[in-house]
Amino acid sequence: MPRWWSWAWTRRGLLAAVLIGAALIPGYASGSGSRPCAAPRCGHAGTVRWIRPLSGSWIAVGGVIGTVPAAGQAYVSAGPQVAAIGYGTNVYGFDVRTGRRLWATALAGFPAGAAIVSVRSWTGVVTAGVAFPGSGSSGTARDEVVLSAQSGQEIHGYPAASYGGAVAADVTHTVIVGNSSVTSYDNASGRVVWSRPTGRVPQAWRLDGHYLYVTVAAGGYLGSAPVTGLHRINLDTGAERTVRPPGGSFDGSLSGAFDGAALFSNTDGVTAYSETTGRLLWRRAGVVPESEDPVRQALYVSSGGGLTGLNPLTGSNIPGASVPDSSGVYGVRNGVALGLDQGAGGDAWGYNIGQRHVIWTTPSLPWPHYFVDLSGIGGSAGPFNGTILLSACARVGPAAKPGSGQACLRPELIAINR
C-alpha cells in the first residue's frame, strides 16, 4: 500500500480497530511488578529482558495506538536468535536474549515510495516484505528480502503477493506465497526448488505447522466467489493435494487453520472443517475467532463481550478457558493472555485465564504499542515464542501536530519474557 502520511493515519485507524477487536480478557487487576533483567538468560514471565533505543522520528499517540513512527508503520518479530524491527526501508536486528544490536541494514534497489510491510524472524534468517509502486491491478508490488540473522547482509530477494511473503524460512530455503503460486527457493543460488500454482489471482492462506493451506476461489481473497477447495502444501517437500468439502464449497472465508481444523468465518459465525478430508467438524453461531494457544491446544473465540476457549477439532468448550468480559488483552499462550495498559502510565501484564487473575506485571511502559502481523507469523507476541516485543516512549516532547500526538524524544524497543 502507499506509505504517504495521508494513508498512514487511515491505516492506524484500521489497526486500532483490529486491536480493539482482538482485545480478549477482563481489565487490569492487581499483580506483582517485575524488574528489568540484565542476565543473558531470564526465565521469569513478565520480566523486562531488555530495553534498546530506536532511531528515527517517532510520536506517542493516546488510546490503543501508542508509540509509532511519525510516518509509515513499523513491524517486528522475535525469532530463535534475532528480534527484528523494520520501518521505512531499514531493518534492525537485536540479540533476542540480551538486546545487543547486531546490525542495521538499509534495503537497497527499491524505487521512491517503497516501504517495509512485514518483518518475520526465523532460524538463521530474517525476512522483510517491501511494498513499492508497481504496475499490478492494485498499483503496488511486493518483494521479500532475505537477510542473514547474524550479519543483516542481504542474501536474496523474491517476488511475493501483497498479502503473502515468507511463510517458512531458514538458512538454506525460503518459501514464498506469490500472486499465483507458492514457491520454495534455494537461498544460496536463488533458484526454484519447487513451485505449486495457486491460480491466476492471489488467494487467502493460513499456516498450521508444516502445512500451508491456500484457498481455491475464482475471485481470490478479494472476490466474493465461494471457496471450493484448499491446496494443502507440505512446506518441507512441496507435496500438495487439494482438499474439497463434500457440499461443494466451504461456508465463509478462510480465517484460520489450527490443530487440524480449517476455520471459515462469515456474518453468522465460524464453521470448522477437517484439514485433511474437508468434512464438517462443527459450527458455532455468533462468534469470531480471536486467538490460538498452541501450548494448550485451545482456540479462543469472542461472542459479544465474552471469550470462550474451544477444542479446535470438536468445537466444545474447554473447562476453565472462558471469561465473561473481553477488554484490554491481546493473544493467549499457555493459558496466559497478554494485557496492556495504555497511556503515560502504561504497563504490560499477564492474565491467567484459568485462575482469573493477573499473575505478573511489568514496570511502567509509557505509551506502549502492540504490533500486529495479520498472518500470525510475526508481530508483538507470536504464539510459538516466549518473547513479547513492544515499542514505548520514555520521554515525550511537544505535540507534533494538533490532534496527532506528542513527539517522542526517546523511543524504545522493549523485550519481555512471556
Side-chain angles (χ1 to χ4, degrees):
M1 295 181 67
R3 313 300 290 180
W4 297 280
W5 178 267
S6 60
W7 280 93
W9 286 105
T10 301
R11 288 195 305 276
R12 285 175 184 152
L14 293 173
L15 178 59
V18 169
L19 293 179
I20 292 170
L24 300 180
I25 310 297
Y28 187 95
S30 61
S32 59
S34 59
R35 296 180 180 179
C37 176
R41 295 182 181 273
C42 306
H44 179 63
T47 299
V48 174
R49 193 183 304 168
W50 47 262
I51 300 175
R52 293 295 178 266
L54 292 169
S55 61
S57 179
W58 293 67
I59 56 175
V61 185
V64 298
I65 296 179
T67 304
V68 294
Q73 294 182 14
Y75 299 83
V76 304
S77 182
Q81 298 101 14
V82 172
I85 182 169
Y87 43 96
T89 53
N90 298 305
V91 187
Y92 305 87
F94 301 84
D95 186 295
V96 75
R97 292 185 306 140
T98 67
R100 179 175 65 91
R101 196 168 96 168
L102 302 174
W103 43 264
T105 299
L107 303 181
F110 290 98
I116 291 169
V117 293
S118 81
V119 170
R120 297 163 186 169
S121 187
W122 316 84
T123 299
V125 295
V126 171
T127 56
V130 182
F132 55 93
S135 57
S137 58
S138 64
T140 62
R142 171 173 171 165
D143 280 354
E144 202 78 2
V145 181
V146 183
L147 307 172
S148 165
Q150 182 177 15
S151 66
Q153 180 180 358
E154 293 188 32
I155 299 174
H156 265 292
Y158 307 114
S162 295
Y163 176 58
V167 293
D170 57 27
V171 174
T172 56
H173 301 98
T174 300
V175 181
I176 300 290
V177 173
N179 286 318
S180 58
S181 65
V182 177
T183 305
S184 176
Y185 295 92
D186 181 285
N187 286 334
S189 64
R191 294 179 179 176
V192 172
V193 178
W194 54 259
S195 186
R196 302 293 176 261
T198 55
R200 293 182 295 177
V201 292
Q203 300 285 335
W205 57 270
R206 287 293 188 273
L207 282 173
D208 189 3
H210 290 282
Y211 288 92
L212 176 71
Y213 297 87
V214 183
T215 59
V216 179
Y221 72 90
L222 292 177
S224 59
V227 177
T228 58
L230 284 175
H231 297 292
R232 186 176 191 261
I233 303 172
N234 186 308
L235 293 174
D236 297 324
T237 66
E240 176 198 13
R241 67 185 183 89
T242 302
V243 179
R244 298 192 183 276
S249 65
F250 295 102
D251 190 8
S253 301
L254 181 65
S255 57
F258 178 56
D259 200 31
L263 307 173
F264 286 78
S265 301
N266 57 25
T267 55
D268 294 328
V270 176
T271 306
Y273 300 85
S274 167
E275 292 178 350
T276 56
T277 67
R279 69 179 178 88
L280 176 67
L281 296 176
W282 51 269
R283 296 182 188 273
R284 195 83 172 215
V287 301
V288 177
E290 292 282 4
S291 180
E292 301 165 359
D293 185 346
V295 179
R296 298 195 176 183
Q297 295 181 310
L299 168 69
Y300 286 91
V301 297
S302 64
S303 176
L307 180 77
T308 304
L310 305 180
N311 181 311
L313 292 179
T314 66
S316 58
N317 291 14
I318 297 176
S322 298
V323 290
D325 189 18
S326 58
S327 57
V329 178
Y330 312 94
V332 181
R333 186 173 187 268
N334 198 21
V336 178
L338 167 67
L340 289 180
D341 282 347
Q342 303 294 333
D347 59 6
W349 38 279
Y351 180 88
N352 187 298
I353 294 176
Q355 299 175 15
R356 298 199 176 191
H357 68 84
V358 169
I359 58 174
W360 57 260
T361 65
T362 67
S364 175
L365 304 174
W367 291 278
H369 176 76
Y370 186 92
F371 296 94
V372 171
D373 184 329
L374 297 180
S375 72
I377 300 174
S380 277
F384 296 99
N385 67 64
T387 304
I388 298 166
L389 293 176
L390 303 171
S391 60
C393 184
R395 183 184 171 196
V396 295
K401 286 184 178 181
S404 64
Q406 296 173 268
C408 181
L409 304 181
R410 204 168 82 195
E412 297 174 331
L413 181 65
I414 300 171
I416 300 169
N417 280 350
R418 192 175 185 180

